[in-house]
Amino acid sequence: QVHLVQSGSELKKPGASVKVSCKASGYTFTTYAMFWVRQAPGQGLEYMGWINTNTGNPTYAQGFTGRFVFSLDTSVSTAYLQVSSLKAEDSAVYYCAREPFRLSFDYWGQGTLVTVSS
Amino acid sequence: DIQMTQSPSSVSASVGDRVTITCRASQNITSWLAWYQQRPGKAPNLLIYAASSLQSGVPSRFSGSGSGTDFTLTISSLQPEDFATYYCQQANSFPPTFGQGTKVEVK
């Protein structure tokens, strides 16, 4: 049974960094790309980018370059999202999602709420 | 980027009703469209991929149709657990983009 389990909610001050984890189980981690999606409070879904779980090569969407870093630890089937220099507008739920075929996402993590507040 | 526009933004319906949600793409995406359901406080759940293919485990009351720029999600007989927000998403090209969502509310 496929599961993506994300790390818990975070409360951070502006300027701090946060690292969100997404641990996969129930399938071979390197078979499918991992995508990241953001959902601001009360808003819709926004594509952030993805990481090739075979090569570790990340691709970032426009607006998610510079402060956002995707990484992997394939030994523990885990993908990571790190956001640095946090701003209030980074407050959102961050999801990881598996892509089994052409830009469709069949399994999602439960989401990680990141709140940035002084 | 391809813009996805859903209508209506919200719909009020009762259990047993037939509900139809429309999604329009700003350019031709052939059949590369997915639909997701999101319940409050939960992650999105894939319902339909490739415009009309039902994801495994999804009830058959959900169906999708369309191609090119115009697509439809239909719930044939609304059930209590279907009150949620629904998103379309184009899967034709990077970046994948989502509609703004349609909230199905209790009438």
Side-chain angles (χ1 to χ4, degrees):
Chain A
Q1 201 165 0
V2 174
H3 290 288
L4 300 179
V5 179
Q6 297 184 224
S7 48
S9 298
E10 301 268 10
L11 174 60
K12 296 291 184 180
K13 294 190 184 303
S17 294
V18 68
K19 193 170 187 176
V20 175
S21 65
C22 170
K23 183 172 176 58
S25 62
Y27 72 99
T28 301
F29 181 66
T30 52
T31 301
Y32 303 104
M34 192 70 76
F35 282 63
W36 291 92
V37 174
R38 182 171 78 176
Q39 188 168 38
Q43 302 301 307
L45 302 166
E46 183 179 22
Y47 161 75
M48 299 175 64
W50 66 286
I51 186 164
N52 183 317
T53 53
N54 257 312
T55 65
N57 184 49
T59 300
Y60 301 97
Q62 214 165 12
F64 294 98
T65 56
R67 298 188 299 115
F68 297 82
V69 176
F70 306 145
S71 62
L72 303 172
D73 184 344
T74 56
S75 69
V76 290
S77 301
T78 300
Y80 299 95
L81 161 66
Q82 184 160 359
V83 188
S84 58
S85 302
L86 284 163
K87 309 173 183 179
E89 52 263 42
D90 294 324
S91 295
V93 176
Y94 292 83
Y95 292 103
C96 58
R98 187 183 85 157
E99 184 217 28
F101 48 81
R102 191 159 175 166
L103 297 180
S104 297
F105 311 116
D106 64 345
Y107 286 93
W108 295 62
Q110 82 276 20
T112 296
L113 174 63
V114 175
T115 304
V116 184
S117 174
S118 55
Chain B
D1 297 1
I2 298 174
Q3 305 303 314
M4 306 301 294
T5 304
Q6 290 181 231
S7 60
S9 296
S10 64
V11 57
S12 298
S14 301
V15 172
D17 284 354
R18 183 182 184 87
V19 173
T20 299
I21 299 168
T22 297
C23 179
R24 175 163 289 176
S26 62
Q27 63 190 72
N28 185 1
I29 59 170
T30 60
S31 294
W32 295 113
L33 184 98
W35 288 98
Y36 300 86
Q37 176 194 68
Q38 187 177 33
R39 298 187 177 112
K42 300 295 186 183
N45 180 46
L46 179 64
L47 301 174
I48 301 284
Y49 62 93
S52 60
S53 296
L54 193 67
Q55 173 68 358
S56 175
V58 174
S60 59
R61 63 181 179 273
F62 291 94
S63 64
S65 64
S67 65
T69 60
D70 293 313
F71 301 86
T72 299
L73 173 71
T74 299
I75 310 171
S76 61
S77 177
L78 198 66
Q79 297 302 299
E81 60 269 30
D82 300 337
F83 292 100
T85 300
Y86 293 84
Y87 294 93
C88 64
Q89 175 237 319
Q90 67 84 11
N92 182 69
S93 60
F94 279 94
T97 45
F98 295 85
Q100 81 278 15
T102 295
K103 188 173 184 179
V104 177
E105 301 174 304
V106 176
K107 190 171 186 178

